[in-house]
Amino acid sequence: MSNSPSSHQAEAIEFAPGLVIQNIRPPLSMRDFKLIAFDMDSTLINIECVDEIADAAGRKAEVSAITEAAMRGEISDYKESLRRRVALLKGVSVASMEQVLRERLQLNPGAKRLVAACQAAGMKVLLVSGGFTFFTDHVRDLLKIDFTRSNVLEIEDGLLTGRMVDQPWGDICDGDEKRRMLLETCDRLGIAPSQAIAMGDGANDLPMMAVAGLSVAYHAKPRVREKAMIAINAGGLDRVLDVLH
C-alpha cells in the first residue's frame, strides 16, 4: 500500500475540526482496502444495548457503570464484566428487548453513507460486537453486512435467564475474539490484515484495531483515541471519507 501506516511516523495532527490523524499521510485510497470492520454499540449505533435492556429491569445505572469502566479499559477481564452485566438482566422479556430495538436503537450519523461507500468500492463489511445477536442481526440486515460475530442471550419462556449461550467459536466475543474474527475474515477473503479498516470506540476494540491496516476511533474513550490512526471526535462516521478517497 502506498500509504502504509507503518512507513509514516508523525505526531497527531488535527486534519480538520474534530478529525485527528496520526501515522498516516492522507489522502488514502479506498482501493487499498478490501474489508471494513465495525464495532456496533456506540459506534455503528447510538446506544449500548446491554444498558438499555437493563433499563427494563430497573438496573440501568448499575449496568452502565460496569459498561463504562469496561470501555475505558479499567476492567481487565471483559468477559467477566459482561457476565456480570448479563446476570443483572435476568427476567427481562423479549418484548422489552423488542421495544429497545424499535424505540431506542438508531444508526449513528453517517453510518449508511459510509457503509454504502465502502460497498460501492468493493469492500466487504464485518460487524464484530460484544453485544448480542438480537441486535446485530437487525443491523446486519439493515446495512446488508456480510459477516457478523456477537453474543447470544439465553432465553427461556420469553425471558432472559441472565446467561449467554456458548457458540461453536467460543463463549464470548471480547477484544481477543474481535481480533481473531477480523484476521479470520481476512484469511477467508484472501487478503492481508493491512487491507482491513477497523472502527471502534472502546478498549475491547483495540486488539482488532491494532492488526488492521487503518484504525479509526469514533467518539471514543481517550485510550482508544490515542492509539487510532484516525480519531473522529466530532461529526458522523462518514467523516473518515474526508481522509479516504
Side-chain angles (χ1 to χ4, degrees):
M1 287 167 50
S2 58
N3 281 293
S4 171
S6 61
S7 63
H8 303 296
Q9 295 299 318
E11 290 183 14
I13 61 166
E14 190 161 32
F15 180 72
L19 189 66
V20 175
I21 63 170
Q22 61 181 340
N23 301 330
I24 57 171
R25 185 180 296 166
L28 304 181
S29 173
M30 291 186 82
R31 290 191 302 273
D32 288 334
F33 300 97
K34 303 299 180 188
L35 175 70
I36 184 163
F38 292 97
D39 167 53
M40 184 178 71
D41 295 55
S42 298
T43 301
L44 260 189
I45 65 172
N46 63 321
I47 58 172
E48 292 285 338
C49 291
V50 67
D51 296 356
E52 300 308 316
I53 301 169
D55 199 18
R59 290 172 165 164
K60 185 172 182 178
E62 191 175 351
V63 170
S64 294
I66 302 171
T67 300
E68 182 69 15
M71 292 303 100
R72 286 196 303 261
E74 294 166 4
I75 297 176
S76 58
D77 189 341
Y78 177 85
K79 289 187 178 185
E80 185 54 34
S81 84
L82 187 59
R83 288 190 190 99
R84 280 168 57 200
R85 285 175 283 165
V86 169
L88 293 168
L89 306 181
K90 183 177 181 179
V92 173
S93 68
V94 170
S96 292
M97 292 203 298
E98 287 170 347
Q99 189 174 6
V100 168
L101 197 157
R102 189 172 60 249
E103 297 179 3
R104 303 190 185 189
L105 187 152
Q106 296 176 0
L107 294 175
N108 268 330
K112 281 187 177 178
R113 178 171 177 250
L114 175 57
V115 170
C118 291
Q119 290 167 332
M123 284 187 224
K124 297 295 186 183
V125 183
L126 167 65
L127 177 58
V128 276
S129 175
F132 312 112
T133 52
F134 189 90
F135 301 99
T136 57
D137 287 357
H138 170 78
V139 174
R140 175 198 66 199
D141 295 346
L142 199 59
L143 295 173
K144 299 180 173 59
I145 288 171
D146 301 285
F147 311 103
T148 63
R149 179 148 295 176
S150 56
N151 303 303
V152 178
L153 291 167
E154 186 178 68
I155 298 169
E156 289 179 1
D157 300 322
L159 302 176
L160 297 183
T161 65
R163 296 185 296 269
M164 286 169 284
V165 179
D166 286 356
Q167 298 180 73
W169 48 263
D171 56 353
I172 289 175
C173 185
D174 61 353
D176 289 339
E177 185 57 37
K178 288 186 177 196
R179 176 183 177 275
R180 273 194 298 272
M181 184 59 179
L182 184 141
L183 294 174
E184 181 185 304
T185 305
C186 288
D187 191 52
R188 185 189 305 188
L189 295 173
I191 64 171
S194 60
Q195 293 172 284
I197 301 168
M199 296 189 73
D201 73 299
N204 63 330
D205 297 314
L206 287 171
M208 73 168 178
M209 291 170 68
V211 296
L214 182 66
S215 55
V216 184
Y218 179 70
H219 293 256
K221 303 303 181 212
R223 187 173 156 202
V224 183
R225 290 200 305 268
E226 288 164 10
K227 293 184 178 294
M229 296 170 193
I230 300 173
I232 300 170
N233 302 324
L237 285 157
D238 54 345
R239 290 207 69 193
V240 74
L241 298 174
D242 295 350
V243 181
L244 197 61
H245 300 300

